[in-house]
Amino acid sequence: MKNMMELIAPCHFGLEAVLKREILDLGYEISSVEDGRVTFQGDAEAIALANVFLRSAERILLKVGSIHAETFEELFDRVKELPWEQYLPVNGKFWVTKATSVKSKLFSPSDIQSIVKKAIVERLKGVYGISWFQEDGAQYPIRIFLMKDEAVIGLDTTGESLHKRGYRRLTAKAPISETLASALIMLTPWKADRILVDPFCGSGTFPIEAAMMAAGIAPGMNRSFLAESWDNLVKRRMWYDAVTEARDLVDTTVETDIQGYDIDGEVIKAARENARLAGVDHLIHFQKRPVSELSHPKKYGFVITNPPYGERIEDRENLPALYREIGQAFGRLDSWSEYVITSYEQAEKYIGKKADKNRKIYNGMIKTYYYQFIGPRPPKKKSGDMN
């Protein structure tokens, strides 16, 4: 049997179900689902596959252990008991990159970080029989999360967050992250053969993520990961195999009707460039156009969008008029389904209809709502109908 490990995939609060489905689709068994993270069983190959293929995860952590700690002494002793030598080679560069504490007696991140590092050093001194570590090898950043005095400790296999796909060089103000955009699309029944329009596309994240899904382009295919240098844990061949598998699944000849509009012409230029870097510019039609001109001759399409929600005080007074315009545009697309993520509490009031579903999602520290106005299903195609 392959050497199984526990892997932790953090995600946006409220989108755990999407990530859980993605992990199951990859063929791995779920251990637990908690707020903002999904833990699953996987071997070394799973580290490579999860980093390359998961669209809604923020990163992949290799779990070293869980401990209970209410004092710094207890934290030191419990961390020292973990088998760090199974993960950290004698020349590995290791540090505690992040400590998070919620409802725990230990709450100072910097103190937690330094105690954990000291405990690991003490453990490895005894195992390797040396008193000084060069730390000139591969990097092994450590993350610790304390919740009600229970701590989970893991090694970060990813490095730069997974939302960094490598295509977004240019951003509009208040962009939505690639992982969040992907998850929100996956919460809808949209498929590549259906129309998708984002009337507030900004730097193009929704249309680009949708086009990548349509063309079968894995999100991590064109970037590197920290654990690629972890020869002691993940063989280099596993990364090559994961990327080869990803390349075999790409089909950029797929026909799509994906459109992105924005009122700002410069932003549309940036979106086109980002789409080109993602390899999907031929699958998306970008256009400078206000939401008041949103229309489409065909039926049963999808609007998935992240309109402005007045982050700046001076923008807030314009929101009622803007959301009324959104509502009028939706009225013209009467057989469509519309999905809107916003932190604007009055969105439904000014759009002029109540959402069929509403999901609370945390975008960073901002509480947002994902309003889902679900339209009729298209009639089933008759057998023998080639259209």
Side-chain angles (χ1 to χ4, degrees), residues 183-196:
L184 294 176
I185 295 167
M186 288 189 278
L187 273 176
T188 78
W190 178 81
K191 293 283 179 285
D193 60 350
R194 304 279 295 275
I195 304 156
L196 189 153

Side-chain angles (χ1 to χ4, degrees), residues 115-135:
I115 297 280
V116 170
K117 167 87 184 196
K118 277 183 191 141
I120 299 169
V121 168
E122 281 308 307
R123 165 87 185 194
L124 295 180
K125 272 183 184 175
V127 173
Y128 291 131
I130 56 174
S131 58
W132 174 255
F133 292 88
Q134 288 283 5
E135 295 200 49

Side-chain angles (χ1 to χ4, degrees), residues 166-234:
Y167 67 73
R168 196 161 76 176
R169 307 284 163 82
L170 306 157
T171 60
K173 62 179 184 194
I176 191 163
S177 82
E178 294 85 337
T179 43
L180 179 54
S182 268
L184 294 176
I185 295 167
M186 288 189 278
L187 273 176
T188 78
W190 178 81
K191 293 283 179 285
D193 60 350
R194 304 279 295 275
I195 304 156
L196 189 153
V197 178
D198 179 358
F200 298 94
C201 74
S203 48
T205 312
F206 272 127
I208 292 168
E209 289 293 321
M212 286 173 72
M213 286 180 198
I217 297 173
M221 208 172 92
N222 297 311
R223 55 159 287 174
S224 58
F225 304 98
L226 207 55
E228 285 178 49
S229 58
W230 294 5
D231 296 337
N232 62 320
L233 293 172
V234 192

Side-chain angles (χ1 to χ4, degrees), residues 251-276:
D251 176 11
T252 52
T253 65
V254 64
E255 286 194 21
T256 58
D257 187 348
I258 300 172
Q259 303 180 31
Y261 307 140
D262 203 280
I263 201 163
D264 184 336
E266 287 306 304
V267 162
I268 286 292
K269 272 190 206 160
R272 281 198 188 110
E273 175 61 10
N274 289 338
R276 187 188 68 74

